[in-house]
Amino acid sequence: NGDKLIFPGGIFPVVDAHRLEAEFDAAVLERIMHDLEAGIIPPGTGVSINVSGVSIVTQSATDKLLSFAKFLDRYKLVVEITETALITHINHASSNLNKLRKAGFVIALDDFGSGYSSFRYLSSMPVDVVKFDISMVRSLEEGGRQGIIVENLTKLIRDAGFKLVAEGIETQATLELVTALGFTHAQGYYLGRPAKLG
């Protein structure tokens, strides 16, 4: 059924099991390009594009992403990459992301806190936005020693000049908590669920 939404948990295990990350990324990029060219995505909005570690180190994927630059006068385009992917291929990934940043893309570090979370890597990555993984947000909600650590980590990263996104926002109380801590953006079911364009 073409109208059925397939959630990440239903497709990514298949993609990973068959090592189809590059092919999946290419198909997603083609669809986004089609939607932008057809005007399906309203001008003045933006698109966040998740790119796998397999793709971000290749010239072909970087060139494909750079072909989106023609839309930057009408859309905010964000390239999201996970910290694990960056750390595994730090030099190639950083070089390609720097090219995208110079072209006008915003670079987001996705799922921060779910992998290595090394400050050494974070400080050297060409990143504009840090997206705190849902596990980090839950730690803030629960408080205690872990909550204190994440709260201070939030301040440290914010003071270093990064924009912060809180993932997994499901209640008004959590939204108020992350807003008070200085998160600049949030995402989660409380704010909106996946839906078809148009």
Side-chain angles (χ1 to χ4, degrees):
N1 185 343
D3 293 330
K4 184 178 179 183
L5 272 175
I6 302 174
F7 288 88
I11 193 165
F12 285 123
V14 177
V15 171
D16 292 341
H18 295 280
R19 306 305 303 262
L20 297 170
E21 294 93 344
E23 291 82 355
F24 181 77
D25 287 346
V28 169
L29 289 174
E30 284 297 329
R31 184 65 208 193
I32 295 170
M33 179 67 81
H34 170 271
D35 290 349
L36 288 168
E37 288 176 337
I40 295 171
I41 300 171
T45 63
V47 181
S48 286
I49 308 168
N50 286 83
V51 181
S52 70
V54 173
S55 291
I56 201 60
V57 298
T58 66
Q59 191 60 46
S60 59
T62 303
D63 288 344
K64 183 63 179 176
L65 284 164
L66 286 169
S67 73
F68 283 77
K70 61 188 176 185
F71 298 108
L72 284 166
D73 61 336
R74 287 166 285 160
Y75 300 93
K76 180 177 181 178
L77 300 179
V78 182
V79 174
E80 297 190 17
I81 185 80
T82 62
E83 57 180 320
T84 305
L86 278 180
I87 290 166
T88 305
H89 308 283
I90 187 74
N91 292 332
H92 283 24
S94 292
S95 174
N96 289 340
L97 290 174
N98 271 320
K99 292 175 188 173
L100 293 167
R101 284 182 88 198
K102 286 177 183 175
F105 292 81
V106 174
I107 308 300
L109 184 61
D110 196 19
D111 295 331
F112 180 77
S114 64
Y116 298 98
S117 306
S118 167
F119 280 116
R120 179 171 148 256
Y121 288 115
L122 178 60
S123 64
S124 64
M125 291 175 186
V127 166
D128 307 292
V129 178
V130 177
K131 298 181 70 178
F132 272 52
D133 181 70
I134 189 171
S135 63
M136 302 277 273
V137 174
R138 293 292 169 269
S139 293
L140 287 171
E141 290 176 316
E142 292 162 9
R145 180 181 291 177
Q146 198 165 357
I148 292 169
I149 291 170
V150 175
E151 185 173 332
N152 282 279
L153 188 60
T154 300
K155 183 180 186 308
L156 188 66
I157 294 174
R158 187 190 68 223
D159 289 351
F162 295 95
K163 288 188 169 69
L164 296 179
V165 178
E167 299 180 342
I169 303 301
E170 297 181 357
T171 67
Q172 176 67 29
T174 307
L175 180 60
E176 290 173 1
L177 172 64
V178 299
T179 301
L181 288 174
F183 281 82
T184 52
H185 297 79
Q187 69 181 60
Y189 286 162
Y190 179 72
L191 302 167
R193 290 179 174 269
K196 291 181 67 176
L197 281 169

